[in-house]
Coordinates of all heavy atoms in Angstrom, one line a residue:
M6 N 99.7 102.4 79.0 CA 98.2 102.6 79.2 C 98.0 104.1 78.9 O 98.7 105.0 79.3 CB 97.9 102.2 80.6 CG 96.4 102.6 80.9 SD 95.8 102.1 82.4 CE 96.9 102.7 83.6
S7 N 96.9 104.3 78.3 CA 96.5 105.7 78.0 C 95.0 105.8 78.3 O 94.1 105.0 77.9 CB 96.6 106.0 76.5 OG 96.2 107.3 76.2
L8 N 94.6 106.8 79.3 CA 93.3 107.0 79.7 C 92.6 108.2 79.0 O 93.3 109.3 79.0 CB 93.2 107.2 81.2 CG 93.7 106.0 82.0 CD1 93.6 106.4 83.6 CD2 92.9 104.7 81.8
L9 N 91.5 108.0 78.4 CA 90.8 109.1 77.8 C 89.8 109.6 78.9 O 88.9 108.9 79.4 CB 90.0 108.6 76.6 CG 89.2 109.5 75.8 CD1 90.0 110.6 75.2 CD2 88.4 108.8 74.6
F10 N 90.0 110.9 79.2 CA 89.2 111.5 80.3 C 87.8 112.0 79.8 O 87.7 112.6 78.8 CB 89.9 112.7 80.9 CG 89.2 113.5 82.0 CD1 89.2 112.9 83.2 CD2 88.7 114.7 81.7 CE1 88.5 113.6 84.2 CE2 88.1 115.4 82.8 CZ 88.0 114.9 84.0
F11 N 86.8 111.7 80.6 CA 85.4 112.1 80.3 C 84.7 113.1 81.2 O 83.8 113.7 80.8 CB 84.5 110.9 80.1 CG 84.7 110.2 78.8 CD1 85.6 109.3 78.6 CD2 83.9 110.6 77.7 CE1 85.8 108.7 77.4 CE2 84.1 110.1 76.4 CZ 85.1 109.1 76.3
G12 N 85.3 113.3 82.4 CA 84.7 114.3 83.2 C 84.8 114.0 84.7 O 85.0 112.9 85.1
K13 N 84.6 115.1 85.5 CA 84.5 115.0 86.9 C 83.1 115.5 87.4 O 82.4 116.1 86.6 CB 85.6 116.0 87.5 CG 87.0 115.6 87.3 CD 87.9 116.6 88.1 CE 89.4 116.0 88.0 NZ 90.2 116.7 88.9
D14 N 82.8 115.1 88.6 CA 81.6 115.6 89.2 C 81.6 117.1 89.1 O 82.5 117.8 89.8 CB 81.5 115.0 90.6 CG 80.3 115.6 91.3 OD1 79.5 116.3 90.8 OD2 80.2 115.2 92.5
P15 N 80.7 117.8 88.4 CA 80.6 119.2 88.3 C 80.4 119.9 89.6 O 80.7 121.1 89.8 CB 79.5 119.5 87.3 CG 78.6 118.3 87.3 CD 79.5 117.1 87.7
D16 N 79.8 119.2 90.6 CA 79.5 119.9 91.9 C 80.5 119.6 93.0 O 80.3 119.9 94.1 CB 78.2 119.4 92.4 CG 77.1 120.0 91.5 OD1 77.3 120.9 90.7 OD2 75.9 119.6 91.8
S17 N 81.7 119.0 92.6 CA 82.8 118.7 93.6 C 83.9 119.6 93.4 O 84.1 120.1 92.3 CB 83.2 117.2 93.6 OG 82.3 116.4 94.0
D18 N 84.8 119.8 94.4 CA 85.9 120.6 94.2 C 87.0 119.8 93.4 O 86.9 118.6 93.2 CB 86.5 121.1 95.5 CG 87.0 120.0 96.5 OD1 87.8 119.1 95.9 OD2 86.7 119.9 97.7
D19 N 88.0 120.5 92.9 CA 88.9 119.9 92.0 C 89.8 118.8 92.6 O 90.2 117.9 91.9 CB 89.9 120.9 91.5 CG 89.2 121.9 90.5 OD1 88.2 121.5 89.9 OD2 89.8 123.0 90.3
D20 N 89.9 118.7 93.9 CA 90.8 117.7 94.5 C 90.0 116.4 95.0 O 90.6 115.4 95.4 CB 91.5 118.3 95.8 CG 92.6 119.3 95.4 OD1 93.1 119.2 94.2 OD2 92.9 120.2 96.1
H21 N 88.7 116.5 95.0 CA 87.9 115.4 95.5 C 86.8 115.1 94.6 O 85.6 115.1 95.0 CB 87.5 115.7 96.9 CG 88.5 116.0 97.9 ND1 88.9 117.3 98.1 CD2 89.3 115.2 98.6 CE1 89.9 117.3 99.0 NE2 90.2 116.1 99.3
C22 N 87.1 114.7 93.4 CA 86.0 114.6 92.4 C 85.8 113.1 92.0 O 86.8 112.5 91.5 CB 86.2 115.4 91.2 SG 86.2 117.1 91.5
P23 N 84.6 112.6 92.1 CA 84.4 111.4 91.3 C 84.7 111.7 89.8 O 84.3 112.8 89.3 CB 82.8 111.1 91.5 CG 82.6 111.7 92.9 CD 83.5 113.0 92.8
S24 N 85.2 110.8 89.1 CA 85.7 111.0 87.7 C 85.5 109.8 86.9 O 85.4 108.7 87.4 CB 87.2 111.4 87.7 OG 87.4 112.6 88.4
A25 N 85.5 110.0 85.6 CA 85.3 108.8 84.6 C 86.3 108.9 83.5 O 86.6 110.0 83.0 CB 83.9 108.9 84.1
W26 N 86.9 107.7 83.2 CA 87.9 107.6 82.1 C 87.6 106.3 81.3 O 86.8 105.4 81.8 CB 89.3 107.5 82.6 CG 89.9 108.6 83.3 CD1 90.7 109.6 82.9 CD2 89.8 108.7 84.8 NE1 91.1 110.3 84.0 CE2 90.6 109.9 85.1 CE3 89.2 108.0 85.8 CZ2 90.7 110.3 86.4 CZ3 89.3 108.5 87.1 CH2 90.0 109.6 87.4
V27 N 88.1 106.2 80.1 CA 88.1 104.9 79.4 C 89.6 104.6 79.0 O 90.3 105.4 78.5 CB 87.3 105.0 78.1 CG1 87.4 103.7 77.3 CG2 85.8 105.2 78.4
D28 N 90.0 103.3 79.4 CA 91.3 102.8 79.0 C 91.3 102.6 77.5 O 90.5 101.9 76.9 CB 91.6 101.6 79.7 CG 93.0 101.1 79.5 OD1 93.5 101.1 78.3 OD2 93.7 100.6 80.4
E29 N 92.2 103.4 76.8 CA 92.1 103.3 75.3 C 92.7 102.1 74.8 O 92.4 101.6 73.6 CB 92.9 104.5 74.7 CG 92.2 105.8 75.0 CD 92.9 107.0 74.3 OE1 94.1 107.3 74.7 OE2 92.2 107.7 73.5
T30 N 93.4 101.3 75.6 CA 94.0 100.0 75.2 C 92.9 98.8 75.3 O 92.8 98.0 74.5 CB 95.2 99.6 76.0 OG1 96.2 100.7 75.8 CG2 95.8 98.3 75.5
T31 N 92.2 98.9 76.5 CA 91.4 97.7 76.8 C 89.9 98.1 76.6 O 89.0 97.2 76.7 CB 91.6 97.2 78.2 OG1 91.3 98.3 79.1 CG2 93.0 96.8 78.5
A32 N 89.5 99.4 76.5 CA 88.2 99.9 76.5 C 87.5 99.7 77.8 O 86.3 99.8 77.9 CB 87.3 99.2 75.4
D33 N 88.2 99.4 78.9 CA 87.7 99.3 80.2 C 87.2 100.8 80.8 O 88.0 101.7 80.5 CB 88.6 98.7 81.2 CG 88.9 97.3 81.0 OD1 88.1 96.6 80.3 OD2 89.9 96.8 81.5
L34 N 86.2 100.8 81.5 CA 85.8 102.0 82.2 C 86.8 102.1 83.4 O 86.9 101.1 84.1 CB 84.4 102.0 82.7 CG 83.4 102.1 81.5 CD1 82.0 101.8 82.1 CD2 83.4 103.5 80.9
V35 N 87.3 103.3 83.7 CA 88.0 103.5 84.9 C 87.3 104.6 85.7 O 87.1 105.7 85.2 CB 89.5 103.9 84.7 CG1 90.2 104.3 85.9 CG2 90.1 102.9 83.9
L36 N 86.8 104.3 87.0 CA 86.0 105.3 87.7 C 86.6 105.5 89.1 O 87.2 104.7 89.7 CB 84.6 104.6 87.9 CG 83.9 104.2 86.7 CD1 82.5 103.5 87.1 CD2 83.5 105.4 85.8
Q37 N 86.5 106.8 89.4 CA 86.9 107.2 90.7 C 85.7 107.7 91.4 O 84.9 108.5 90.8 CB 87.9 108.4 90.7 CG 88.3 109.1 92.0 CD 89.1 110.3 91.9 OE1 89.7 110.5 90.8 NE2 89.1 111.1 92.9
G38 N 85.4 107.2 92.6 CA 84.2 107.6 93.3 C 84.4 107.6 94.8 O 85.5 107.4 95.3
W39 N 83.3 108.0 95.4 CA 83.4 108.1 96.9 C 83.2 106.7 97.5 O 82.5 105.9 96.9 CB 82.2 108.9 97.5 CG 82.2 110.3 97.0 CD1 83.3 111.2 97.1 CD2 81.1 111.1 96.4 NE1 82.9 112.5 96.6 CE2 81.6 112.3 96.1 CE3 79.8 110.7 96.0 CZ2 80.8 113.3 95.6 CZ3 79.0 111.7 95.5 CH2 79.5 113.0 95.2
K40 N 84.0 106.4 98.5 CA 83.9 105.1 99.2 C 82.5 105.0 99.7 O 81.9 105.9 100.2 CB 84.9 105.0 100.3 CG 86.4 105.0 99.9 CD 87.3 104.8 101.0 CE 88.7 104.8 100.5 NZ 89.7 104.7 101.6
S41 N 82.0 103.7 99.5 CA 80.7 103.6 100.1 C 80.7 103.5 101.6 O 81.7 103.2 102.2 CB 80.1 102.2 99.5 OG 80.8 101.2 100.0
D42 N 79.5 103.7 102.2 CA 79.3 103.6 103.6 C 79.1 102.1 104.0 O 78.9 101.3 103.1 CB 78.3 104.6 104.1 CG 77.0 104.2 103.6 OD1 76.7 103.2 103.0 OD2 76.1 105.2 103.7
D43 N 79.1 101.9 105.3 CA 78.9 100.5 105.7 C 77.6 99.9 105.3 O 77.5 98.7 104.9 CB 79.2 100.3 107.2 CG 80.5 100.6 107.6 OD1 81.5 100.4 106.8 OD2 80.8 100.9 108.8
A44 N 76.6 100.7 105.4 CA 75.2 100.3 105.0 C 75.1 99.9 103.5 O 74.5 98.8 103.2 CB 74.2 101.3 105.3
T45 N 75.7 100.7 102.6 CA 75.7 100.4 101.2 C 76.5 99.1 101.0 O 76.1 98.2 100.2 CB 76.3 101.6 100.4 OG1 75.5 102.7 100.7 CG2 76.3 101.2 99.0
E46 N 77.6 99.0 101.6 CA 78.5 97.8 101.4 C 77.7 96.5 101.9 O 77.8 95.5 101.2 CB 79.8 98.0 102.1 CG 80.9 97.2 101.5 CD 82.3 97.6 101.9 OE1 82.7 98.6 101.4 OE2 82.9 96.9 102.6
A47 N 77.0 96.7 103.1 CA 76.3 95.5 103.6 C 75.2 95.1 102.6 O 75.0 93.9 102.4 CB 75.7 95.9 104.9
E48 N 74.5 96.1 102.0 CA 73.5 95.8 101.0 C 74.1 95.0 99.8 O 73.6 94.1 99.3 CB 72.8 97.1 100.6 CG 71.7 96.8 99.6 CD 70.4 96.3 100.3 OE1 70.2 96.3 101.5 OE2 69.5 95.8 99.5
C49 N 75.3 95.6 99.3 CA 75.9 94.9 98.2 C 76.3 93.4 98.5 O 76.3 92.6 97.6 CB 77.1 95.8 97.8 SG 76.7 97.3 97.1
L50 N 76.7 93.2 99.7 CA 77.1 91.8 100.2 C 76.0 90.9 100.1 O 76.2 89.7 100.0 CB 77.7 91.9 101.5 CG 79.1 92.5 101.6 CD1 79.5 92.8 103.1 CD2 80.2 91.6 100.9
N51 N 74.7 91.3 100.0 CA 73.6 90.4 99.8 C 73.7 89.7 98.4 O 73.0 88.7 98.2 CB 72.3 91.1 100.0 CG 72.0 91.5 101.3 OD1 72.3 90.8 102.3 ND2 71.4 92.7 101.5
F52 N 74.5 90.3 97.6 CA 74.5 89.7 96.2 C 75.8 89.0 95.8 O 76.0 88.5 94.8 CB 74.3 90.9 95.1 CG 72.9 91.5 95.4 CD1 72.8 92.6 96.1 CD2 71.8 90.9 94.8 CE1 71.5 93.2 96.3 CE2 70.6 91.5 94.9 CZ 70.4 92.6 95.7
G53 N 76.7 89.0 96.8 CA 78.0 88.4 96.6 C 79.2 89.0 97.4 O 78.9 90.1 98.0
S54 N 80.3 88.5 97.4 CA 81.4 88.9 98.2 C 82.1 90.1 97.5 O 81.8 90.4 96.3 CB 82.5 87.9 98.4 OG 83.1 87.5 97.2
I55 N 82.9 90.9 98.3 CA 83.6 92.0 97.7 C 85.1 91.7 98.1 O 85.6 91.8 99.2 CB 83.2 93.4 98.4 CG1 81.7 93.6 98.3 CG2 84.1 94.5 97.8 CD1 81.2 94.8 99.1
P56 N 85.8 91.1 97.0 CA 87.1 90.7 97.3 C 88.0 91.9 97.6 O 87.7 93.1 97.4 CB 87.6 90.2 95.9 CG 86.3 89.9 95.2 CD 85.3 90.8 95.7
D57 N 89.2 91.7 98.2 CA 90.1 92.7 98.7 C 90.6 93.5 97.5 O 91.0 94.7 97.7 CB 91.3 92.1 99.4 CG 90.9 91.6 100.8 OD1 89.9 92.0 101.3 OD2 91.7 90.7 101.4
T58 N 90.6 93.0 96.3 CA 91.0 93.7 95.1 C 89.9 94.6 94.5 O 90.1 95.2 93.5 CB 91.6 92.7 94.1 OG1 90.5 91.8 93.8 CG2 92.8 92.0 94.6
E59 N 88.7 94.6 95.1 CA 87.6 95.4 94.6 C 87.1 96.3 95.7 O 87.4 96.2 96.8 CB 86.5 94.4 94.2 CG 87.0 93.5 93.0 CD 85.8 92.6 92.6 OE1 84.7 92.7 93.0 OE2 86.2 91.7 91.7
A60 N 86.3 97.3 95.2 CA 85.7 98.2 96.1 C 84.3 98.6 95.6 O 84.1 98.6 94.4 CB 86.5 99.5 96.2
V61 N 83.5 98.9 96.5 CA 82.1 99.5 96.2 C 82.3 101.0 96.2 O 82.7 101.6 97.3 CB 81.0 99.0 97.1 CG1 79.7 99.7 96.8 CG2 80.9 97.5 97.0
I62 N 82.0 101.7 95.1 CA 82.1 103.1 95.1 C 80.7 103.8 94.8 O 79.9 103.1 94.2 CB 83.1 103.6 94.2 CG1 82.9 103.3 92.7 CG2 84.5 103.1 94.6 CD1 83.7 103.9 91.6
R63 N 80.6 105.0 95.1 CA 79.3 105.7 94.8 C 79.7 106.8 93.8 O 80.5 107.6 94.0 CB 78.7 106.3 96.1 CG 77.4 106.9 95.9 CD 76.8 107.3 97.2 NE 76.4 106.2 98.0 CZ 75.2 105.6 98.0 NH1 74.4 105.9 97.1 NH2 74.9 104.5 98.8
I64 N 78.9 106.9 92.7 CA 79.1 108.0 91.7 C 77.7 108.7 91.7 O 76.7 108.1 91.6 CB 79.3 107.3 90.3 CG1 80.5 106.5 90.3 CG2 79.4 108.4 89.3 CD1 81.8 107.1 90.4
P65 N 77.8 110.1 91.8 CA 76.5 110.8 91.8 C 75.7 110.8 90.5 O 76.4 110.7 89.5 CB 76.9 112.2 92.2 CG 78.4 112.3 91.8 CD 78.9 110.9 91.9
A66 N 74.5 110.8 90.6 CA 73.6 110.7 89.4 C 73.9 111.9 88.5 O 73.7 111.8 87.3 CB 72.1 110.8 89.8
R67 N 74.4 113.0 89.0 CA 74.6 114.1 88.1 C 75.8 113.9 87.1 O 76.0 114.6 86.2 CB 74.9 115.4 89.0 CG 76.1 115.3 89.8 CD 76.3 116.6 90.8 NE 77.2 116.3 91.8 CZ 76.9 116.0 93.0 NH1 75.6 115.9 93.4 NH2 77.8 115.8 93.9
M68 N 76.5 112.8 87.3 CA 77.5 112.4 86.4 C 77.1 111.5 85.2 O 77.9 111.0 84.4 CB 78.7 111.7 87.2 CG 79.5 112.6 88.0 SD 81.0 111.9 88.6 CE 81.9 111.6 87.0
V69 N 75.8 111.2 85.2 CA 75.3 110.3 84.2 C 75.7 110.8 82.8 O 76.1 110.0 81.9 CB 73.7 110.2 84.3 CG1 73.2 109.5 83.1 CG2 73.5 109.3 85.5
P70 N 75.7 112.1 82.4 CA 76.1 112.5 81.1 C 77.6 112.1 80.8 O 77.8 111.6 79.7 CB 75.9 114.0 81.1 CG 74.9 114.3 82.1 CD 75.1 113.2 83.2
Q71 N 78.4 112.2 81.8 CA 79.8 111.9 81.5 C 80.0 110.3 81.4 O 80.7 109.8 80.6 CB 80.8 112.3 82.7 CG 81.0 113.8 82.7 CD 80.1 114.5 83.7 OE1 79.0 114.0 84.1 NE2 80.5 115.5 84.3
L72 N 79.2 109.6 82.3 CA 79.3 108.2 82.2 C 78.7 107.6 80.9 O 79.3 106.7 80.3 CB 78.6 107.6 83.4 CG 79.2 107.9 84.8 CD1 78.3 107.3 85.9 CD2 80.6 107.2 84.8
R73 N 77.7 108.3 80.5 CA 77.0 107.8 79.2 C 78.0 108.0 78.0 O 78.2 107.1 77.2 CB 75.8 108.7 78.9 CG 75.0 108.1 77.7 CD 73.7 108.8 77.6 NE 72.8 108.4 78.6 CZ 72.2 109.2 79.5 NH1 72.5 110.5 79.5 NH2 71.4 108.8 80.4
K74 N 78.7 109.1 78.0 CA 79.7 109.3 76.9 C 80.9 108.3 77.1 O 81.4 107.8 76.1 CB 80.3 110.8 77.0 CG 79.3 111.8 76.6 CD 79.9 113.2 76.8 CE 78.9 114.3 76.6 NZ 79.5 115.6 76.8
A75 N 81.4 108.0 78.3 CA 82.4 107.1 78.5 C 82.0 105.7 78.1 O 82.7 104.9 77.5 CB 82.8 107.1 80.0
C76 N 80.7 105.3 78.5 CA 80.2 104.0 78.1 C 80.2 103.9 76.6 O 80.5 102.9 76.0 CB 78.9 103.8 78.7 SG 79.0 103.4 80.5
D77 N 79.7 104.9 75.9 CA 79.5 104.9 74.5 C 81.0 104.7 73.8 O 81.1 103.9 72.9 CB 78.9 106.2 73.9 CG 77.4 106.2 74.2 OD1 76.8 105.2 74.6 OD2 76.8 107.3 74.1
A78 N 81.9 105.5 74.4 CA 83.3 105.3 73.8 C 83.9 104.0 74.1 O 84.5 103.4 73.2 CB 84.2 106.4 74.4
A79 N 83.6 103.4 75.2 CA 84.1 102.1 75.6 C 83.5 101.0 74.6 O 84.2 100.1 74.2 CB 83.9 101.8 77.0
E80 N 82.2 101.2 74.4 CA 81.5 100.2 73.6 C 82.1 100.3 72.1 O 82.3 99.3 71.4 CB 80.0 100.5 73.6 CG 79.2 99.5 72.8 CD 77.7 99.8 73.0 OE1 77.3 101.0 72.9 OE2 77.0 98.8 73.2
R81 N 82.3 101.5 71.6 CA 82.8 101.7 70.2 C 84.2 101.1 70.2 O 84.6 100.3 69.3 CB 82.9 103.2 69.9 CG 81.6 103.7 69.4 CD 81.8 105.1 68.8 NE 82.5 106.1 69.7 CZ 81.9 106.9 70.6 NH1 80.6 106.7 70.7 NH2 82.5 107.7 71.3
A82 N 85.1 101.4 71.2 CA 86.4 100.8 71.2 C 86.5 99.3 71.3 O 87.3 98.7 70.6 CB 87.2 101.4 72.3
A83 N 85.6 98.8 72.1 CA 85.5 97.3 72.2 C 85.1 96.7 70.9 O 85.6 95.6 70.5 CB 84.6 96.9 73.4
G84 N 84.1 97.3 70.3 CA 83.7 96.8 68.9 C 84.7 96.9 67.9 O 84.8 96.0 67.1
E85 N 85.5 98.0 67.9 CA 86.6 98.1 66.9 C 87.7 97.0 67.2 O 88.1 96.5 66.2 CB 87.2 99.5 67.0 CG 86.3 100.6 66.6 CD 86.8 102.0 66.9 OE1 88.0 102.1 67.4 OE2 86.1 103.0 66.6
S86 N 88.0 96.7 68.4 CA 89.0 95.7 68.6 C 88.5 94.4 68.3 O 89.3 93.5 68.0 CB 89.4 95.8 70.1 OG 88.4 95.4 71.0
D87 N 87.1 94.2 68.3 CA 86.6 92.8 67.9 C 86.8 92.6 66.4 O 86.9 91.4 65.9 CB 85.1 92.8 68.2 CG 84.8 92.6 69.7 OD1 85.8 92.3 70.4 OD2 83.7 92.9 70.1
L88 N 86.9 93.7 65.6 CA 87.0 93.6 64.2 C 88.5 93.3 63.8 O 88.7 92.9 62.6 CB 86.6 94.9 63.5 CG 85.2 95.4 63.7 CD1 84.9 96.7 63.1 CD2 84.2 94.3 63.2
R89 N 89.5 93.4 64.7 CA 90.8 93.2 64.3 C 91.2 91.8 64.3 O 90.7 90.9 64.9 CB 91.8 93.9 65.3 CG 91.6 95.4 65.2 CD 92.5 96.2 66.0 NE 92.1 97.6 66.0 CZ 92.1 98.4 67.1 NH1 92.6 98.0 68.3 NH2 91.7 99.6 67.0

């Protein structure tokens, strides 16, 4: 697996940063974020379960530019793999 790094939260310290990557093999987005609080998780449960293999995370809005670039790269990579 090879991850293409797109950025960290510019307002967090180096050891505790929400971050964004794209898996260059699958074109999946890989996100590191803050664990959600109980209230956020409860709200999310109104729309379905949260399996043990999944987590609700929070990514700050200031990371939208990095996420946009990561989404664009993932979309391009997925489109290229569809052509093969």
